Amino acid sequence: MRAPAPDSLPAMAAEVAADAAAVAGRHADSVDREARFPAEAFAALKEARLLGLMVPRDFGGGGGGLADAAAVAHALARQCPSTGLIYAMHQIQVACLVRHGQGSDWHRGFLERLAGEQLLLASATTEAGIGGDVRSSACAVEGAGDDATGAAFRLEKQATVISYGTEADAILVTARRTADSPPSDQVIVPVLRGQTRLEEIGGWDTLGMRGTRSIGFRLVAEADRAQILPLPYADISARTMLPVTHILWSSVWLGIATDAVARAAAFIRAEARKRPGTPPPGARRLAEATAGLQTMRGMVRGALARFEEAADDPDRLTAPGFTVAMNTLKTEAAEMVVRIVGQAMLAGGLAAYRNDSPYSLCRHLRDAHSAPLMINNDRILGNTANLLLAHRDNGTLFG
């Protein structure tokens, strides 16, 4: 498998990922049926050195950008949505380290390890007792003073979800800065496998996205304070984690929708060949699904372009209008993927409804329904509503 070229375009990144995507596709049914981690696909991704895609070349990585990661996540999701989503979640953590960790010796060394060893990163942001609000933490960094940069600390978190936690080589954990800090004064710290104990506090038997293995854990970590990212989590979230999450998640959902429409189109064409000159009954539904897919694709591309234009400007990244745009991407894309897959299923009829059909959309439909729940659309819409009290759209076509 080829590693991505330093100046790779998104299309090239997707081409490099084609072999790994094919592996993901061959094992997708097994991953879904057994609710297991897609180990075969990630072995292929590591071989292609795609876990370090966004790490700068100076650290031994692929030097790719967010568009490259989105293209790979999309290509994987077309074959196995669980694989695509895990890859997206990994790259969200990589983006945080790349954009906010290069000023620290420890994090520069970690980026080199990430690229060299193709480490898989997970995150622990949710927590029992905070009601799903990732901008609050109950747990805290404990055991050393703020100025003891080389001192050890201890952290214990009741994490309601750590996707693929037992398979990850490192987990980025949010916590209060100190035991005396308020819930919103958070930091984020990467803790390595050997520094962490995980005890399962829940199972994972779900409708869809079963391969993500999003189990709850009691996480206990002991590490050095040098591992804490220096920028407050509030800034990391606004400048990187929130927009990158919504763009990469939406790219995954777009991959699901793309494959659903492709399967529906294949079915309609097969039916049309049986009765030349007579449009199959589902052709109109296919047209509706295709129109929705084109709209969704334009929305994801537009959000990606908007982020890349603002990427180096903290003021633009933290402006209410930018946050509204990224929140809207998430909520709309999450609803669109459910709608598009539903239209594609109507186009395919019973062939799409069957599990044993080459045109089956059963897994697509189940996986799509996870989208509005990650993070719940109602929570995001509530946050957007509050932002709109202070923000007014300028009404321009290209604003």
Side-chain angles (χ1 to χ4, degrees):
M1 296 183 185
R2 303 183 307 279
D7 57 351
S8 64
L9 297 170
M12 186 179 295
E15 180 183 350
V16 172
D19 289 343
V23 173
R26 287 197 294 272
H27 296 278
D29 287 339
S30 169
V31 166
D32 177 67
R33 183 173 56 253
E34 300 169 23
R36 66 172 180 85
F37 179 75
E40 299 87 354
F42 274 86
L45 288 166
K46 288 184 178 183
E47 183 181 345
R49 302 191 64 78
L50 284 168
L51 296 189
L53 174 65
M54 292 181 67
V55 176
R57 297 191 299 277
D58 289 348
F59 298 97
L66 183 59
D68 299 293
V72 174
H74 177 269
L76 293 170
R78 292 187 65 176
Q79 298 293 330
C80 174
S82 288
T83 300
L85 186 57
I86 294 170
Y87 185 81
M89 291 190 283
H90 162 80
Q91 292 296 356
I92 292 162
Q93 310 313 310
V94 175
C96 292
L97 289 165
V98 168
R99 287 171 56 79
H100 306 292
Q102 294 191 45
S104 155
D105 288 340
W106 192 92
H107 296 102
R108 286 195 297 270
F110 184 58
L111 285 171
E112 290 179 352
R113 280 196 62 192
L114 195 163
E117 301 174 33
Q118 292 293 294
L119 302 180
L120 178 62
L121 309 185
S123 71
T125 54
T126 59
E127 188 173 4
I130 61 173
D133 181 8
V134 297
R135 284 292 292 109
S136 296
S137 288
C139 67
V141 173
E142 300 178 341
D146 289 340
D147 296 329
T149 55
F153 71 86
R154 185 179 187 277
L155 187 157
E156 180 175 338
K157 184 165 191 163
Q158 301 291 327
T160 52
V161 170
I162 304 180
S163 298
Y164 56 97
T166 55
E167 290 79 18
D169 299 299
I171 302 173
L172 275 68
V173 186
T174 52
R176 287 181 293 138
R177 185 178 300 276
T178 69
D180 297 325
S181 299
S184 61
D185 182 12
Q186 297 167 286
V187 293
I188 187 166
V189 53
V191 293
L192 308 178
R193 184 191 294 270
Q195 301 171 328
T196 310
R197 296 199 315 273
L198 294 175
E199 300 175 9
E200 291 189 14
I201 57 175
W204 185 247
D205 186 5
T206 56
L207 181 70
M209 288 297 182
R210 292 169 57 80
T212 64
R213 296 279 298 157
S214 300
I215 295 170
F217 290 95
R218 174 178 173 263
L219 179 152
V220 179
E222 296 180 356
D224 292 332
R225 293 196 70 87
Q227 296 176 216
I228 301 173
L229 281 164
L231 196 67
Y233 176 64
D235 295 326
I236 294 174
S237 177
R239 298 182 197 177
T240 301
M241 186 170 282
L242 184 147
V244 170
T245 295
H246 292 174
I247 288 168
L248 290 183
W249 282 0
S250 296
S251 299
V252 170
W253 302 331
L254 180 61
I256 297 172
T258 299
D259 191 59
V261 172
R263 291 189 181 209
F267 172 78
I268 292 297
R269 293 188 189 106
E271 291 297 298
R273 287 193 292 270
K274 296 176 183 177
R275 302 176 184 83
T278 303
R284 180 172 178 175
R285 292 293 189 177
L286 175 61
E288 292 176 343
T290 301
L293 182 65
Q294 290 178 351
T295 300
M296 188 178 181
R297 184 178 294 127
M299 186 169 59
V300 173
R301 287 177 173 173
L304 180 57
R306 186 165 185 165
F307 174 77
E308 291 181 333
E309 289 172 2
D312 298 321
D313 187 340
D315 290 337
R316 291 180 66 181
L317 291 169
T318 56
F322 182 84
T323 305
V324 167
M326 293 299 136
N327 282 353
T328 300
L329 167 69
K330 191 278 173 184
T331 55
E332 289 301 301
E335 293 182 1
M336 290 184 76
V337 64
V338 175
R339 184 164 61 249
I340 291 168
V341 174
Q343 290 167 334
M345 181 166 278
L346 289 172
L350 186 59
Y353 191 71
R354 293 175 63 106
N355 280 314
D356 58 353
S357 162
Y359 307 108
S360 175
L361 295 178
C362 298
R363 177 158 39 83
H364 298 68
L365 189 65
R366 290 188 287 104
D367 287 343
H369 275 283
S370 72
L373 307 178
M374 302 174 48
I375 300 160
N376 196 296
N377 272 12
D378 286 347
R379 178 180 293 278
I380 295 177
L381 287 169
N383 293 338
T384 301
N386 289 331
L387 289 169
L388 290 173
L389 297 176
H391 170 69
R392 292 186 180 182
D393 194 302
N394 62 20
T396 62
L397 179 59
F398 297 105

